[in-house]
Amino acid sequence: MAQLITVDDPADPRLHDYTNLTDVALRRRREPAEGLFIAEGEKVIRRAGKAGYGMRSMMLTPKWVDTMTDLIDELTCPVYVVSPELAESVTGYHVHRGALASMARNPLPTPAELLESAGPHGTPRRVALFEDMVDHANLGAAFRNAAALGVDAVLLTPRCADPLYRRSVKVSMGTVFAVPYARLETWPHDADTLRAHGFTLAALCLSDDSIDLDELAARRPEKLALMLGTEGDGLSPAALAAADVHVRIPMEAGVDSLNVAAASAVAFYATRP
C-alpha cells in the first residue's frame, strides 16, 4: 500500500511535478524533458494506469482519498494529501476533480515501428496524420474521435502539440492512452514511409481537384492515411503535394469548413471499415 503523506507547504519540493500547471510554455518544455505527464481526475488516472503508464506520485485532496482507496492499496509511489487551497496554490488553478497523478512517459515508437506493430486488429490499416495541430483541446478531441471510431494509430508532425499535455488528456477523457502514436521527424519527407507501407495518403482540404469524402470511402483503400492540418490554415502546400488524393467534406449553407476536430470525426466515421 502506498504511504499517505500530508503536505501543508506549497513550496515542498516533493510537489515539484505539480507546480505551475497553467504555464503552458513551461509545462511543454518540462514534462517531456523530465519524462512525465499529469493525469487529472479519477477516470483519467485509472485509464493511464491500465494503459501501462507507471505512476510517479499522486496528489489528492482529502475527500478523494476514500474514492481512490483501491488504487492506493496497489501503489508503491507516494500519495500526497493536500488541502484544496494548497492544491490551487501549487498548480495555479482550482483543481475541481481533486485528484492529480504524475505519470511516467513511455518511449515512443518510430513511425516505421508503429506502422508495423500488431494491434487489436493486426497491423494498422487506417491511420490519422495530424500536421501542426497546435491547440491542445483540438488534439485531445481528435484523439478521442480516433479512439471512438476505430482509427488504428496516429502520426504527429514535429510541430504538433503534445497529446499527453494535461488539457489534451483531459479533453480526450484519457482516450489518448488508447490510440498508439508516433512523431514524424522530417515531414513531409516521412510521407515516403507511409507510402512504403502501402498507405494511400488522403489530404482533407478545399482544393479545386478534391473529391468528395463519400467517393474516397467508396474506393475502400486497403490502407488509408487521413491527413488533417493545423487550425485555420489547414494542410501546408508541401503536405498537399505529398498526398495521393485531395478530399473534401461537402458543405451547405455557405459554410466552407469545419473545426479540425469535427472534420476528423466526420472523416473517421465515413471511412470506417
Side-chain angles (χ1 to χ4, degrees), residues 20-259:
N20 300 313
L21 293 186
T22 57
D23 189 331
V24 177
L26 172 65
R27 299 301 302 197
R28 286 180 67 181
R29 293 193 305 271
R30 260 190 61 190
E31 293 185 8
E34 297 178 16
L36 65 93
F37 68 93
I38 299 299
E40 179 179 1
E42 179 192 0
K43 289 182 179 179
V44 172
I45 291 171
R46 292 183 185 278
R47 286 175 179 171
K50 289 180 180 179
Y53 291 95
M55 189 179 296
R56 295 159 54 108
S57 68
M58 189 154 54
M59 186 174 78
L60 304 175
T61 54
K63 74 173 187 177
W64 283 92
V65 172
D66 287 344
T67 302
M68 305 295 280
T69 294
D70 62 316
L71 183 58
I72 293 170
D73 287 344
E74 299 174 356
L75 297 176
T76 57
C77 66
V79 176
Y80 304 117
V81 181
V82 302
S83 68
E85 294 76 18
L86 188 139
E88 183 171 352
S89 177
V90 170
T91 63
Y93 71 103
H94 179 63
V95 184
H96 298 283
R97 290 173 173 81
L100 295 169
S102 174
M103 312 296 297
R105 290 176 180 250
N106 295 332
L108 287 181
T110 67
E113 289 170 342
L114 181 68
L115 297 176
E116 295 165 3
S117 63
H121 308 105
T123 56
R125 306 186 70 81
R126 194 170 58 126
V127 304
L129 192 158
F130 299 141
E131 183 189 51
D132 300 352
M133 196 183 294
V134 297
D135 184 275
H136 291 99
N138 278 336
L139 188 63
F143 261 87
R144 188 174 184 180
N145 296 337
L149 298 168
V151 171
D152 298 314
V154 169
L155 292 165
L156 306 173
T157 62
R159 289 192 294 271
C160 262
D162 178 9
L164 296 184
Y165 179 69
R166 179 178 60 88
R167 181 149 177 77
S168 294
V169 173
K170 182 178 178 181
V171 170
S172 80
M173 289 298 294
T175 55
V176 293
F177 311 133
V179 184
Y181 72 94
R183 196 172 284 274
L184 302 166
E185 295 181 358
T186 58
W187 179 253
H189 300 294
D190 303 281
D192 292 337
T193 300
L194 282 153
R195 205 166 279 114
H197 284 81
F199 282 87
T200 297
L201 279 71
L204 273 290
C205 63
L206 301 174
S207 66
D208 293 337
D209 62 348
S210 58
I211 64 172
D212 278 358
L213 180 59
D214 288 341
E215 182 178 340
L216 174 70
R219 293 180 183 182
R220 304 186 67 83
E222 184 177 354
K223 291 186 175 183
L224 177 63
L226 291 162
M227 301 163 54
L228 294 108
T230 186
E231 299 83 359
D233 293 334
L235 290 165
S236 67
L240 294 175
D244 298 307
V245 61
H246 295 178
V247 183
R248 64 178 176 271
I249 299 171
M251 299 284 163
E252 296 186 13
V255 178
D256 63 352
S257 64
L258 299 174
N259 165 277

